[in-house]
Amino acid sequence: MQPKEYVLLLGADQYLRERAFSGAKEAIGLPVWAASEDAVRRLNRTFDTMLSADPKDADSLLRAIRTHAARGWHPRVVVPLNDWTVDSANVVNRTLGLGGLDDTAVTNARNKHAMKLALLTAGVRTPRSRLVQSDEELLDAVEDLGLPVVVKPYDFGGSGGVVLATTREEALAALAESKGVIAQYGAAFNILGDKYLVEQFVDSDDEVSVEVLCGAGRAQVLAVTEKYLSPRPWFAELAHLVPSHRTGDEALTDLAVRACVALGIDRGLAHVEIKFGADGTPWVIEVAARPGGDGIMDQVERAYELNPYRLHVGSYLGVDLLGTVAAAVPVRTSAIAFLKAAPGRILDVLDGKPLPPEVRSVNIAAKPGDLSHAAKNWSTREGLVELEWDELFDAKTPLPVTVAKDLADQIFVTGEAAGA
């Protein structure tokens, strides 16, 4: 029987990852499959086939893959699209002889403590940090690092459990809050959440993410994304804009490339988060061995007229696309911003009013009766708006946040306060 091949995308059925299907189709003319724990009840008809498997669990995936192999179907490669599937994709790729990242690169990308050690060893500028489990270890770390500090889980994402502390008492409260987030979400995301990182705070609200295509010992920056953060002590991402006015900053892009090389990421897109100190010095905060989330890839595609998932999948297939990335230039500005209702119980949702001309899409996730809380992480959003302008900004613009706030104020009617 002639083998039949497919590309398996893990995490591609996640909301705001849908364009991965089109990118994979552009990368190679093979069927594109995805995986879901219950593909019968959660069938996604975008994909050519849905495996009934947990995309976060390599054993579950291998069982499903082998079932289809008996029918003549074999994966050409397995491609992770979010943090929770980097490890499972790599195990499957290695087990089946399909390539994949080195195990050390996976550890560096998923364990923020290991990541920091690798960056510091390579001379990549990143804040000092300590790994802790208890209140006593936390206070020792504060004594060593000095205040203020940021407390966060060492293996989570989405700004979940990331809290700024300016005093010892706030640090203890931050650790308790971080542990609470892991208790709530850890099992769903299949993470340990048993340790926490205490990190020196880069005192600035200027932050970008750098989307980088990686190769063996080299990498090329595709885009720089401007980030808009919630008020302290949390770090919820309120909006992302592409391209940032910092696009072309060689010190920034060189730092992002060196970070990816230092972690051993040798294929696919990486998402590098960088903050700027008060003196303008860039500091690497985190690196993820997968495309940026929160719809950033869709904004990159609109701004550059290039589907970044094609680059990600193509790289996993062994195609050298760094030259394509180097030649990419933005032709417009695109942004995604998250709708935030005023804190309280949502009494009504008023949709249907005329939208500003720059709006490309709106998605309202909240409904009457829901509670709106302060912006802490991805879980406290009430929807999103995508925006587009036929110009490139030469400075940071407040437009994504102001347009989203104006829309949220029009759409959501809130009542009694729900607390922080």
Side-chain angles (χ1 to χ4, degrees):
M1 180 187 300
Q2 181 69 28
K4 297 173 288 187
E5 291 187 307
Y6 60 93
V7 171
L8 177 58
L9 304 183
L10 300 183
D13 56 335
Q14 180 183 348
Y15 181 51
L16 296 177
R17 292 283 192 194
E18 298 90 343
R19 292 295 295 163
F21 176 83
S22 297
K25 285 292 190 183
E26 289 182 31
I28 192 168
L30 289 176
V32 178
W33 294 18
S36 173
E37 288 185 76
D38 191 345
V40 174
R41 290 182 176 84
R42 299 182 60 191
L43 180 66
N44 188 320
R45 299 179 189 277
T46 300
F47 299 95
D48 297 303
T49 296
M50 291 287 292
L51 290 180
S52 284
D54 182 352
K56 305 182 298 296
D57 180 61
D59 290 337
S60 175
L61 288 164
L62 285 166
R63 285 194 298 270
I65 287 169
R66 285 164 178 155
T67 296
H68 286 270
R71 303 167 190 164
W73 285 100
H74 301 273
R76 174 75 68 86
V77 73
V78 182
V79 185
L81 296 177
N82 58 29
D83 284 328
W84 330 118
T85 60
V86 169
D87 184 59
S88 56
N90 203 59
V91 171
V92 173
N93 279 327
R94 292 290 180 179
T95 299
L96 301 180
L98 306 178
L101 292 167
D102 183 80
D103 289 343
T104 301
V106 174
T107 299
N108 288 340
R110 294 296 300 123
N111 180 323
K112 294 174 185 178
H113 179 60
M115 176 191 302
K116 294 288 186 179
L117 293 178
L119 292 174
L120 290 170
T121 299
V124 175
R125 191 182 304 110
T126 190
R128 291 176 57 229
S129 61
R130 290 271 300 272
L131 193 65
V132 306
Q133 288 183 291
S134 66
D135 287 356
E136 292 75 15
E137 291 175 342
L138 169 75
L139 293 176
D140 286 344
V142 168
E143 185 69 24
D144 176 40
L145 300 172
L147 290 164
V149 295
V150 176
V151 180
K152 56 187 172 184
Y154 80 120
D155 58 351
F156 200 35
S159 301
V162 183
V163 188
L164 173 66
T166 60
T167 67
R168 288 164 58 90
E169 292 74 23
E170 287 180 2
L172 291 169
L175 180 59
E177 179 173 333
S178 193
K179 288 182 175 181
V181 170
I182 293 303
Q184 183 176 1
Y185 294 106
F189 289 97
N190 195 30
I191 61 171
L192 291 175
D194 57 333
K195 298 181 181 68
Y196 299 82
L197 206 65
V198 182
E199 179 180 284
Q200 290 177 317
F201 177 54
V202 178
D203 193 356
S204 167
D205 294 322
D206 288 330
E207 183 171 340
V208 298
S209 61
V210 186
E211 322 309 329
V212 184
L213 186 65
C214 300
R218 60 201 183 105
Q220 178 68 48
V221 170
L222 169 61
V224 180
T225 303
E226 193 70 30
K227 303 173 84 70
Y228 300 78
L229 303 177
S230 63
R232 301 172 184 178
W234 301 291
F235 299 88
E237 293 171 345
L238 302 181
H240 307 278
L241 178 144
V242 182
S244 165
H245 65 284
R246 297 180 186 273
T247 299
D249 181 334
E250 292 186 3
L252 169 65
T253 55
D254 176 67
L255 184 67
V257 166
R258 289 196 294 115
C260 294
V261 173
L263 299 183
I265 305 172
D266 63 1
R267 69 200 63 211
L269 285 169
H271 178 74
V272 185
E273 296 185 345
I274 292 178
K275 289 193 72 172
F276 297 88
D279 62 355
T281 301
W283 295 77
V284 174
I285 303 300
E286 294 178 8
V287 182
R290 43 78 179 167
D294 267 359
I296 291 175
M297 295 299 97
D298 291 0
Q299 313 320 311
V300 171
E301 181 174 9
R302 292 191 181 107
Y304 284 80
E305 297 184 341
L306 172 68
N307 188 322
Y309 293 109
R310 174 171 74 86
L311 305 172
H312 185 61
V313 174
S315 178
Y316 264 81
L317 289 164
V319 182
D320 186 344
L321 295 166
L322 269 65
T324 300
V325 173
V329 294
V331 297
R332 64 182 60 84
T333 299
S334 186
I336 184 169
F338 299 98
L339 301 178
K340 192 78 211 74
R345 187 171 298 279
I346 296 175
L347 304 178
D348 204 355
V349 177
L350 307 176
D351 192 18
K353 292 185 179 181
L355 297 169
E358 62 267 31
V359 173
R360 289 295 171 265
S361 78
V362 175
N363 180 280
I364 299 171
K367 61 185 184 302
D370 289 349
L371 288 174
S372 172
H373 300 277
K376 292 185 177 183
N377 54 53
W378 87 98
S379 72
T380 54
R381 298 165 175 169
E382 280 75 56
L384 62 85
V385 57
E386 292 181 287
L387 307 159
E388 190 175 292
W389 297 271
D390 289 326
E391 61 179 300
L392 303 178
F393 298 104
D394 58 8
K396 186 170 184 175
T397 173
L399 281 172
V401 174
T402 57
V403 172
K405 184 180 186 305
D406 289 344
L407 285 175
D409 289 345
Q410 292 175 23
I411 292 169
F412 302 111
V413 179
T414 58
E416 72 274 17

